[in-house]
Amino acid sequence: MYLVLLGPPGAGKGTQAKRLAERLNLPHISTGDILRQNVKAGTPLGKEAKGIMDKGLLVPDDLVASMLDQRFNNPDIKKGFILDGYPRTLSQAKTLDEILGRKKFAVDIVVYLNTSDEVIIKRLTGRLVCSKCGANFHKVNMPPKVSGLCDNCNGELYQRSDDNEITVRKRLEVYKNEVASLIKYYEQQKKLHSLNADLDAQEVLEQIISLCAKV
Ligand code: AMP
């Protein structure tokens, strides 16, 4: 099952992708996570990407495509994947088809998580992420039991440098400029399913799982 999660930043793609990966026993591949790992490790890719990410802009296509191509060489994708954060543009969608096609795979289903700007801004500006296990918390909606520490692994929580209101609004603008053509592309392929992501996360998860069962 090759599943792509689409939706604005803060729609809950990462949260859903992690849960789906567990339930369906598939790898979760997030281009944002791989980029952040590169930034943290100080690789040449990370150094190039850091400033762009902090402005809420898109990292150049060729860099992200080759990073993904490399990730797809891992044999764990033979059974499928949950892809989160890619594609973000029509050109990336075509690149994805190309890279997968070369490896004799294809996208099976695209789930679009639809949500409103105000919900997104509240979610992202309050988001806290565990530096060890990547679990997400929220300052108001889901605070950790001990301030600053992850409930699951005791790792330190941090706020992503691009989760401030100015950058979030920029990320939303970038997203909106691109999403219409992306949606049309997958609609034409009859692969697109839209869900209301303002609902409870568990409910959204169950809806995605039942869509997957029909593929
Ligand atoms: P995310 O974790 O998906 O919100 O991504 C965080 C940031 O990483 C984005 O704002 C972009 O700067 C960069 N990024 C992630 N995925 C992509 C992509 N597919 N194309 C270009 N830039 C990306």
Side-chain angles (χ1 to χ4, degrees):
M1 163 80 51
Y2 293 88
L3 182 145
V4 171
L5 284 179
L6 287 188
K13 296 189 298 295
T15 304
Q16 294 299 339
K18 281 189 195 82
R19 294 182 186 186
L20 283 166
E22 254 176 48
R23 283 275 286 270
L24 303 174
N25 193 25
L26 293 173
H28 166 206
I29 302 177
S30 152
T31 46
D33 283 352
I34 304 175
L35 286 166
R36 278 184 290 279
Q37 282 157 16
N38 276 277
V39 170
K40 205 170 167 188
T43 67
L45 168 63
K47 283 184 185 143
E48 196 162 345
K50 165 94 174 109
I52 301 171
M53 293 169 76
D54 281 346
K55 288 193 196 106
L57 301 175
L58 293 183
V59 175
D61 275 359
D62 54 336
L63 293 182
V64 186
S66 69
M67 179 185 97
L68 206 57
D69 198 356
Q70 214 178 330
R71 174 63 184 82
F72 288 167
N73 285 335
N74 187 321
D76 67 348
I77 77 141
K78 284 196 176 136
K79 51 187 180 172
F81 58 47
I82 313 292
L83 188 56
D84 147 27
Y86 196 97
R88 277 168 140 93
T89 62
L90 180 59
S91 141
Q92 289 190 356
K94 291 180 179 167
T95 302
L96 176 63
D97 286 349
E98 239 173 72
I99 303 177
L100 282 179
R102 261 190 268 127
K103 299 179 200 293
K104 309 274 179 261
F105 303 126
V107 170
D108 293 306
I109 175 169
V110 178
V111 176
Y112 177 60
L113 300 178
N114 206 353
T115 186
S116 65
D117 287 6
E118 289 324 301
V119 170
I120 289 169
I121 288 162
K122 278 196 194 121
R123 267 191 199 158
L124 290 189
T125 54
R127 175 161 72 177
L128 297 169
V129 185
C130 173
S131 54
K132 253 199 205 162
C133 73
N136 281 357
F137 295 85
H138 190 278
K139 288 178 192 168
V140 181
N141 303 341
M142 202 178 51
K145 290 187 187 115
V146 179
S147 170
L149 294 180
C150 175
D151 290 359
N152 307 330
C153 71
N154 231 25
E156 218 170 289
L157 301 181
Y158 71 98
Q159 184 157 29
R160 270 173 49 172
S161 58
D162 57 353
D163 276 350
N164 62 79
E165 186 164 344
I166 292 172
T167 310
V168 169
R169 286 197 188 275
K170 184 69 200 168
R171 285 158 66 197
L172 273 172
E173 186 191 317
V174 168
Y175 165 80
K176 283 179 187 166
N177 286 340
E178 300 291 346
V179 75
S181 53
L182 205 49
I183 286 178
K184 197 163 152 210
Y185 183 72
Y186 287 122
E187 257 171 6
Q188 280 167 348
Q189 296 185 7
K190 303 204 181 324
K191 289 180 179 168
L192 189 85
H193 299 266
S194 252
L195 292 180
N196 175 4
D198 287 345
L199 298 173
D200 172 71
Q202 190 60 31
E203 198 169 322
V204 176
L205 178 71
E206 297 308 330
Q207 287 188 18
I208 302 175
I209 302 233
S210 74
L211 284 174
C212 291
K214 290 179 199 146
V215 172

